[in-house]
Amino acid sequence: MALRLVSDFDLRKDVLPWLRSQRAASAAAGARGGGPGVLENNYENLRILNVERNGNIIYTYKDDKGNVFFGLYDCRTRQNEHLYTFEKDLHVVSCSVNNERTLLAASLVHFTKEGRKNEPQPGSKCLTLLVEIHPVNNVKVLKAVDSYIWVQFLYPHVESRPLAENHLLLISEEKYIEKFHIQVTQEDGNRVVLKDSGYLPRERVAEDFVWAQWDMSEQRLYYIDLKISRSTLKCIQFSADGKFNLMFEAPLDITLNDSGFKLVNFGCDDLQDQKNLSKHLALCVFTNHTGTLCVCYSPKFDSWEKITYSVFYFHKGHSKTFTAALGSVDSHVTKGLTFLNLEYYVAVYLPGHFFHLLNIQHPDLICHSLFLTGNNEVVDMLPHSPLQSLSGSLVLDWCSGKLYRAVLNQSYLLQFLWNTQLDCEKMAVLHCVLSCGRDPQFLEAKLIQWISENVSACHSFDLIQEFIIASSYWSIYPETSNMDKLLPYSSVFAWDTEIPGITLVTEEIPLPFMKVYSFKGYWEKLNSNLEYVKYSKPRLLYDNSLVRKEWHSLISEEKTGRRRSMVYMRNIRENAAKVISNIEARNLEPRLTPLFQEEDNHQRLLMGLMVSELKDHLLRHLQGVEKKKIEQIVLDYVSKLLDLICQILETSWRKHHLHPRLLHCRQASAAEFTVFHLMTRILEATRTLFLPLPPGFHTLHTMLGVHCLPLYNLLHYIDCGVLLLTETAVTRLMKDLDNSEKNEKLKFSIIVRLPPLIGQKICRLWDHPMSSNIISRNHVRVLLLNYKKQPRSSMIDKSPGSVEFLPLNYFIEILTDIESSNRALLAFEGHDNVDAKFVEEAALKHTTMLLGL
């Protein structure tokens, strides 16, 4: 199952045994009242009322006499505590306890015993009470009205000493919210009582709203105001001292006028008829620490064949409206649509029909979100009872009395990755695993194993590219904010392929209007996201185009003999050295693959250039971050890119048990063909993005190519630039291969494709007439380059061993004269082992070979 619900609390396991033990203790002591009542036959009365910011859970139950009991479960100590008992048969609408557990607020109402369930008695009052419970003392009536009231204490953001003033929100069905200021004082030691119970100051927080949501973790109130012509989402932030500020207003293109009154996360609301959930709209606001602001909305169902829901990505400036097919007309929807907050993702779930994992951090492309439907077991993995999404990935199933922590099931996702055939699902799961992984090294190893065996399995995108870019991104993403705007998250920037079972429409939306001017924490990040949407056109994502241009320029200058300033080149080389040192420090285990064993100046140059350009990019756009920290981020990012390539190659190398000295084997194996193909795909992936490769990669790739490919294919790969003839690779070929007819042909074909300077060095390593011929030609070319013809005697002095071939004799004499006059130059050029005699012998050998003598 892609989503796993880990139980944090269960009424049946964490509360019921304690209640029974309390009753048994009371019975043994002969107590007849004040303690928990008989619960053996009344378990259905035990239910959760509220989950407070500190994680404590408030629950209620009735004994066989109808008395209402309130209890609290402390999530840290795993202990239960009896709070208060109402000795009347009332129904609890809402309940909240302050942070110090000295005050309890509750709203209660009478229900009819006959007729429709949850219908108040005619003329009955909803009592909202404030009770002193440390110890149990006075009860104050805050409200006695005909409409329902919900209560919620505000909690300080930092645990501190007991507060002298508490703040209580009252939310009325009459569409207003009030905040009560409640001052307390200590008497007779630890006894806490109301300081002035006769008068409690209050102030109006909001009014004329039809929907409200409470964020217990961040102490925020979201509500939709209908005073103007269209729906407007507003947010109020409460501070530790009880003060509050309206943070933003955001227009919402949704219809709520005829939807009735709806509260979200103000305790557990059992006043609605859950059998008709599918007929009501669903609306939730989700945020996370990176400054995201999402509104998830599903209108009332109007068809049994499809369902529509929208997500407003305010932090990105657009909304997406999804339409999911439900299958046949007979597949009636009896459950409501559930939205669950999973930090970087939002899960949209319709039991028995589909499961949609929406990427809210990077929502631009649908392929980065996972949509599952049909017969897949994942669409039935969650409870079918209504689920309530709380802060911090908490999920409350109030019907069963269980509180879960929702986490993505990594083992299932990895298994799903092996089995799925759709590119869009591979893409989505790959990002999901990387972004939500709690053990990055383990997950990367599993993904690399999958990639190594499925490198050609994706047709819509390059699997290696996507893995390298995404994994490198997530490795440094937590380092600082705004990184998602400056570094690429994916190698794919457009997706035109349809996703089976779902369609979407993307629209631009008005951005929230911030109502304050000083931001901290989440609000600073949200404001930064909004500013980026407003003013950053085009996008600021880094790409290697500047590196490509500069690298080609430096290589061209190297060929023509020109040089940049010493300081500039030294800085580039030092950048590369730092990257390689950083990689080696990360990997303490020895590698089987022979990488990082040669200079490979071109790849080091590319490394150093990328470090330099990326550092300049981040320094320009990352405000308020120290230069030293940015330099370390860049170093870690480039090191991660290279290390991932090494890991992919190392994994395949170990799996196939390859030997570093490939040419010692006589015939290429299937394993070597597999690794060669993988290296070719790595090369293709990095070339498109212009990423550096580990020094030694081209040498190893060429050696594998020589071992695996027929000569014609090998030369074709070389001519097309797929295989690069590095000096190290060619040197090994000349030394390790014998001079069989096949190898002679291979060596000569390679030598003639080498640049002149490298070719001259390599020819000296090959003891063969062909190399002697090439050396001689180069020697003659150098000698005759500036030769000026001088008058000469017609008589040729024949030395004792000279050949009776006048043209050759005459030519050798000219070369000898030039050598005698330019001996110092020739020594400097490295021609001390080549002279006219050597040229003469090479010419004769070559002629003999041509004539077949």
Side-chain angles (χ1 to χ4, degrees):
M1 298 183 291
L3 194 63
R4 189 160 54 95
L5 298 181
V6 180
S7 179
D8 271 12
F9 171 80
D10 186 345
L11 274 176
R12 187 183 294 272
K13 295 179 179 179
D14 295 317
V15 175
L16 195 54
W18 177 79
L19 293 175
R20 288 170 176 163
S21 67
Q22 290 289 303
R23 180 184 181 279
S26 298
R32 291 293 181 267
V38 178
L39 217 75
E40 297 294 333
N41 299 321
N42 292 320
Y43 172 68
E44 65 275 6
N45 289 320
L46 178 64
R47 62 187 179 92
I48 296 175
L49 286 175
N50 202 357
V51 180
E52 300 289 6
R53 182 177 184 271
N54 54 15
N56 293 341
I57 298 166
I58 304 172
Y59 53 86
T60 184
Y61 60 91
K62 290 184 181 182
D63 63 8
D64 53 350
K65 299 178 182 179
N67 297 326
V68 180
F69 294 83
F70 292 93
L72 180 142
Y73 176 80
D74 191 315
C75 66
R76 280 176 285 193
T77 64
R78 299 284 177 181
Q79 299 295 318
N80 286 277
E81 177 183 342
H82 175 239
L83 296 176
Y84 191 72
T85 302
F86 281 106
E87 296 181 350
K88 290 184 179 180
D89 189 2
L90 300 170
H91 180 82
V92 182
V93 176
S94 176
C95 180
S96 184
V97 177
N98 68 343
N99 188 49
E100 294 78 23
R101 302 185 203 173
T102 57
L103 298 175
L104 179 145
S107 58
L108 307 100
V109 69
H110 287 280
F111 283 130
T112 58
K113 296 183 179 181
E114 298 178 357
R116 192 158 56 92
K117 182 186 176 182
N118 295 347
E119 184 178 331
Q121 289 182 1
S124 69
K125 302 289 185 180
C126 178
L127 294 176
T128 304
L129 307 177
L130 183 63
V131 186
E132 300 168 354
I133 59 172
H134 190 76
V136 174
N137 194 25
N138 296 324
V139 177
K140 177 177 177 58
V141 178
L142 297 179
K143 292 275 186 180
V145 293
D146 293 334
S147 56
Y148 290 120
I149 297 289
W150 288 261
V151 294
Q152 178 62 58
F153 272 105
L154 300 182
Y155 273 60
H157 285 270
V158 179
E159 297 292 336
S160 59
R161 59 181 178 81
L163 299 175
E165 186 175 55
N166 289 266
H167 304 275
L168 177 68
L169 295 181
L170 264 64
I171 302 91
S172 171
E173 193 180 21
E174 297 297 324
K175 302 180 181 179
Y176 66 85
I177 300 176
E178 290 182 328
K179 183 167 75 71
F180 281 79
H181 301 260
I182 305 168
Q183 291 189 328
V184 295
T185 186
Q186 286 190 350
E187 296 180 354
D188 302 331
N190 293 328
R191 183 181 177 187
V192 178
V193 297
L194 298 177
K195 190 173 183 179
D196 184 3
S197 59
Y199 172 72
L200 297 179
R202 72 183 76 177
E203 58 184 315
R204 188 65 59 97
V205 174
E207 57 187 7
D208 296 332
F209 68 92
V210 293
W211 174 92
Q213 175 180 317
W214 177 245
D215 185 334
M216 66 171 185
S217 177
E218 302 299 333
Q219 300 287 280
R220 298 183 193 129
L221 171 68
Y222 301 95
Y223 66 96
I224 293 180
D225 192 340
L226 284 179
K227 286 191 294 187
I228 55 179
S229 58
R230 61 178 176 177
S231 302
T232 302
L233 176 68
K234 297 183 179 181
C235 176
I236 290 177
Q237 175 73 67
F238 293 92
S239 56
D241 58 3
K243 295 180 180 179
F244 59 92
N245 290 300
L246 177 63
M247 300 304 295
F248 70 77
E249 294 181 354
L252 270 178
D253 187 17
I254 59 176
T255 303
L256 290 176
N257 295 322
D258 58 349
S259 60
F261 179 78
K262 176 72 173 177
L263 294 179
V264 178
N265 292 348
F266 282 98
C268 304
D269 183 8
D270 69 337
L271 298 176
Q272 295 181 2
D273 187 355
Q274 300 299 332
K275 293 182 179 179
N276 296 319
L277 267 181
S278 62
K279 298 180 181 179
H280 296 281
L281 64 83
L283 182 64
C284 298
V285 177
F286 294 134
T287 63
N288 69 22
H289 66 280
T290 65
T292 62
L293 175 61
C294 291
V295 176
C296 302
Y297 167 70
S298 176
K300 297 178 181 179
F301 289 9
D302 57 3
S303 170
W304 298 116
E305 299 178 8
K306 61 183 180 180
I307 184 172
T308 299
Y309 52 97
S310 300
V311 181
F312 297 83
Y313 302 99
F314 281 108
H315 58 290
K316 294 293 183 180
H318 66 256
S319 68
K320 292 184 182 293
T321 299
F322 302 92
T323 302
L326 299 182
S328 63
V329 179
D330 297 331
S331 58
H332 286 251
V333 179
T334 58
K335 306 295 180 181
L337 197 65
T338 299
F339 296 108
L340 301 178
N341 187 10
L342 304 174
E343 193 175 6
Y344 294 129
Y345 286 83
V346 165
V348 186
Y349 177 58
L350 188 63
H353 293 277
F354 68 84
F355 177 82
H356 198 179
L357 198 59
L358 289 167
N359 188 330
I360 62 172
Q361 202 68 23
H362 298 278
D364 295 345
L365 301 183
I366 192 174
C367 61
H368 292 148
S369 299
L370 179 64
F371 182 78
L372 300 176
T373 186
N375 297 324
N376 197 301
E377 63 175 5
V378 76
V379 301
D380 273 325
M381 65 186 177
L382 298 177
H384 282 220
S385 53
L387 298 178
Q388 191 171 330
S389 185
L390 307 178
S391 303
S393 300
L394 289 176
V395 177
L396 179 61
D397 181 357
W398 59 265
C399 289
S400 63
K402 295 180 180 179
L403 182 68
Y404 301 98
R405 191 169 300 277
V407 295
L408 291 168
N409 190 338
Q410 296 173 356
S411 59
Y412 175 86
L413 290 172
L414 289 171
Q415 181 184 358
F416 182 83
L417 201 56
W418 282 90
N419 298 329
T420 184
Q421 300 298 317
L422 296 177
D423 283 1
C424 58
E425 293 180 348
K426 294 172 186 174
M427 169 83 78
V429 174
L430 176 65
H431 282 276
C432 186
V433 170
L434 288 171
S435 64
C436 301
R438 290 170 294 280
D439 187 355
Q441 291 184 343
F442 170 78
L443 293 173
E444 282 179 358
K446 291 293 184 182
L447 290 173
I448 287 171
Q449 181 184 354
W450 172 69
I451 290 170
S452 300
E453 298 186 24
N454 298 272
V455 68
S456 301
C458 296
H459 306 287
S460 304
F461 65 97
D462 188 303
L463 191 54
I464 295 176
Q465 276 187 1
E466 195 65 20
F467 171 69
I468 290 174
I469 293 297
S471 187
S472 300
Y473 169 87
W474 283 109
S475 70
I476 67 162
Y477 178 75
E479 295 289 336
T480 184
S481 58
N482 295 327
M483 202 60 74
D484 57 324
K485 308 175 188 66
L486 302 177
L487 287 179
Y489 165 81
S490 171
S491 64
V492 176
F493 296 101
W495 187 272
D496 300 323
T497 308
E498 291 185 1
I499 308 296
I502 192 169
T503 59
L504 72 88
V505 175
T506 303
E507 297 177 306
E508 288 190 4
I509 58 175
L511 296 178
F513 177 71
M514 304 304 293
K515 305 291 285 187
V516 296
Y517 301 100
S518 178
F519 305 102
K520 291 183 180 180
Y522 165 81
W523 297 112
E524 182 180 7
K525 295 177 181 178
L526 173 61
N527 187 63
S528 174
N529 289 335
L530 299 179
E531 293 292 308
Y532 178 79
V533 174
K534 285 181 187 176
Y535 303 117
S536 296
K537 303 288 172 106
R539 297 190 302 175
L540 302 178
L541 288 181
Y542 172 80
D543 68 72
N544 263 356
S545 57
L546 290 177
V547 174
R548 183 194 304 267
K549 182 179 179 180
E550 182 69 3
W551 187 80
H552 283 303
S553 177
L554 290 174
I555 296 300
S556 176
E557 291 174 8
E558 181 182 289
K559 292 178 180 178
T560 58
R562 291 186 296 159
R563 288 286 187 271
R564 294 288 182 95
S565 70
M566 295 290 291
V567 175
Y568 177 79
M569 295 305 298
R570 184 170 65 247
N571 182 52
I572 297 299
R573 286 192 291 269
E574 287 176 355
N575 288 342
K578 290 177 182 178
V579 170
I580 293 175
S581 176
N582 199 31
I583 295 173
E584 291 174 347
R586 291 183 177 197
N587 298 278
L588 302 178
E589 295 184 5
R591 299 184 191 273
L592 287 183
T593 49
L595 299 174
F596 299 101
Q597 296 179 6
E598 61 181 273
E599 281 298 316
D600 202 342
N601 289 326
H602 286 181
Q603 290 306 313
R604 287 175 180 262
L605 186 63
L606 185 53
M607 265 185 246
L609 282 173
M610 184 172 180
V611 170
S612 180
E613 291 293 340
L614 181 56
K615 182 171 66 176
D616 291 344
H617 176 75
L618 295 185
L619 285 171
R620 279 193 302 271
H621 302 295
L622 270 184
Q623 304 298 325
V625 182
E626 295 180 357
K627 181 179 178 181
K628 190 173 182 180
K629 183 177 181 180
I630 289 178
E631 289 175 349
Q632 188 60 48
I633 289 173
V634 171
L635 192 62
D636 290 341
Y637 182 76
V638 179
S639 300
K640 185 67 175 181
L641 286 170
L642 287 161
D643 188 51
L644 289 171
I645 295 171
C646 294
Q647 286 185 51
I648 294 172
L649 194 52
E650 183 77 11
T651 299
S652 185
W653 200 271
R654 289 180 181 274
K655 177 185 176 182
H656 296 292
H657 308 290
L658 296 194
H659 194 279
R661 304 292 290 184
L662 293 167
L663 296 182
H664 285 185
C665 306
R666 291 189 176 181
Q667 188 174 0
S669 64
E672 289 167 347
F673 274 106
T674 301
V675 176
F676 174 74
H677 176 64
L678 177 63
M679 292 190 74
T680 304
R681 294 303 300 265
I682 292 174
L683 181 66
E684 180 184 350
T686 54
R687 274 190 177 173
T688 306
L689 300 174
F690 211 73
L691 300 177
L693 287 164
F697 181 93
H698 286 298
T699 294
L700 185 59
H701 190 209
T702 299
M703 299 302 292
L704 269 171
V706 169
H707 200 50
C708 296
L709 299 176
L711 181 59
Y712 174 81
N713 298 95
L714 175 68
L715 298 179
H716 179 69
Y717 272 54
I718 294 172
D719 294 338
C720 292
V722 176
L723 295 176
L724 296 186
L725 296 174
T726 64
E727 186 174 342
T728 304
V730 179
T731 300
R732 281 188 55 188
L733 288 175
M734 296 301 158
K735 290 182 176 181
D736 293 354
L737 294 179
D738 59 25
N739 287 331
S740 64
E741 182 179 352
K742 178 182 176 182
N743 288 341
E744 282 184 359
K745 191 173 181 181
L746 167 64
K747 290 180 179 181
F748 178 72
S749 300
I750 288 177
I751 284 178
V752 297
R753 285 169 166 80
L754 292 174
L757 290 178
I758 297 179
Q760 291 176 33
K761 293 181 183 179
I762 297 302
C763 284
R764 299 172 191 280
L765 302 174
W766 186 21
D767 185 14
H768 189 271
M770 190 66 70
S771 64
S772 299
N773 184 30
I774 295 173
I775 293 172
S776 299
R777 289 175 182 273
N778 288 331
H779 181 68
V780 171
R781 183 183 59 80
V782 172
L783 290 178
L784 297 181
L785 193 61
N786 298 314
Y787 172 65
K788 295 181 180 179
K789 188 173 182 181
Q790 302 291 335
R792 306 184 65 84
S793 170
S794 59
M795 296 298 293
I796 299 176
D797 295 331
K798 293 192 295 181
S799 58
S802 62
V803 182
E804 293 290 343
F805 183 52
L806 293 181
L808 179 59
N809 292 345
Y810 182 74
F811 183 63
I812 296 301
E813 183 180 350
I814 293 174
L815 294 182
T816 303
D817 290 343
I818 298 174
E819 285 177 347
S820 62
S821 60
N822 294 286
R823 192 162 301 279
L825 174 62
L826 293 174
F828 178 77
E829 294 283 349
H831 294 270
D832 50 318
N833 294 324
V834 181
D835 54 16
K837 183 64 177 175
F838 182 89
V839 174
E840 181 181 16
E841 291 175 358
L844 289 173
K845 286 181 181 179
H846 184 62
T847 304
T848 303
M849 290 172 58
L850 290 177
L851 297 176
L853 300 176

